[in-house]
Every structure is written in structure tokens, then in C-alpha cells.
Amino acid sequence: MTERVSSRLERKLLLEGRRRAGRRWRRLGAFCGAVAALALVLLGVFSFVLGVDVVQGESMRPAFCPGDIVIYNRLAKEYAPGDVVVFAYGGGDVVKRVAALAGDRVELGTEGEVLVNGEALGGSAGEVEQAVKTPLTVPEGSVFLLGDNPAASLDSRYKEMGPVEARTVLGKAVLVVRRIG
């Protein structure tokens, strides 16, 4: 009789162990499924909604330093003066600030100051060589972009770049991750 009780107890313990193992595998499967779903959502968000760019050069100092990571909204297609945007230029991506929109009148003063619709933006980079001819009305479908550090910035003040077509703007900055060090 003790053998029967012993064998029943062993069977019960064996079945209970199998049930526990099955629950563990189900939990692990659910966890892996959740991680995979999160990865797919993040991939979709960063492929279609958000973009990432690393700031190169000194043109946006002090607001952005070389190595800072800019996360931008690809869906944002309307910009206002002061917005920071990422746009395609010269085979790469560039970060600049919107100074003027289509229809705005831009002038470069004799000391390098930039006036938009008659109002000075503040700051000066001195005289700009190879500057765009001003006064200039920003063409329809374009934006006039400036760097925060005008002395080190190739931006819309120069003939080489001029007003930038809005279709080349990849998106509007929404977050900056500062580099460490």
C-alpha cells in the first residue's frame, strides 16, 4: 500500500513539475512576443514618423554641438521662424534654424545682420562673401535657413545654398540628445 501512495505521489509531483515548466515556457513566449512587437513598433516609428541625425560642425552652436543627436518629426511639413529643421544638402543631412518662410522679404545689412520683413534677427557675422542678392523674397515652396553660429555656418545667406526648397526638408526637430564629454 505504501508503494501505491508513493507512486501516486511521484506521479502528482511529476505532473505538477510539467505544468510549472509549461507555464514558464508560455510566459517566456509571451515575453518574447511582446519584445518582438515593441521592436516592430519602434522600427515603424523610426522608419516613417521620426528620423535621427547627428550634428556635424559648429554652425549651430551654442544650441547644438557637434555629436548631439537630433530626433526629428518626418511628418511635420509646416514650419515657423525659429523652428529647427533637418534637410538634405550636398549628399548629407544638415541642421539649421528657419529664419524666413515663402513670401517673406530678407535683407542682409552692411554689417552682416539679417533682416526679415524689415526686422533684425539679432547677431551679426560680418560681411558675407558670395552672398545672395538682397532684398530677396523667399520663393514659394522654399524656406530661408540660418545657422545659430553665423560665422561658422554655410546657410541661406550664401549663393551656394540660397533659400532651400521645402521638399528637401526632412523634418522638424523635436528632441536633442546631448553628447557626453
Side-chain angles (χ1 to χ4, degrees), residues 52-146:
V52 178
D53 190 52
V54 178
V55 175
Q56 305 291 323
E58 304 286 327
S59 72
M60 287 300 288
R61 273 194 185 272
F64 301 89
C65 299
D68 286 352
I69 298 170
V70 177
I71 297 175
Y72 59 92
N73 180 354
R74 295 176 193 267
L75 302 179
K77 296 300 176 192
E78 291 188 19
Y79 317 105
D83 287 346
V84 174
V85 297
V86 177
F87 68 103
Y89 180 77
D93 297 342
V94 183
V95 178
K96 299 288 182 203
R97 191 173 302 276
V98 176
L101 303 171
D104 287 342
R105 187 168 187 240
V106 178
E107 294 180 68
L108 298 179
T110 56
E111 300 297 315
E113 68 275 9
V114 178
L115 298 117
V116 176
N117 297 326
E119 294 184 32
L121 292 181
S124 172
E127 193 170 321
V128 177
E129 291 183 29
Q130 302 295 314
V132 293
K133 187 175 180 179
T134 63
L136 163 83
T137 299
V138 179
E140 198 60 41
S142 297
V143 289
F144 196 88
L145 304 175
L146 297 175

Side-chain angles (χ1 to χ4, degrees), residues 19-30:
R19 282 187 201 126
R20 284 184 183 168
R23 279 186 244 140
R24 284 187 197 126
W25 280 109
R26 282 192 297 277
R27 282 190 214 134
L28 181 61

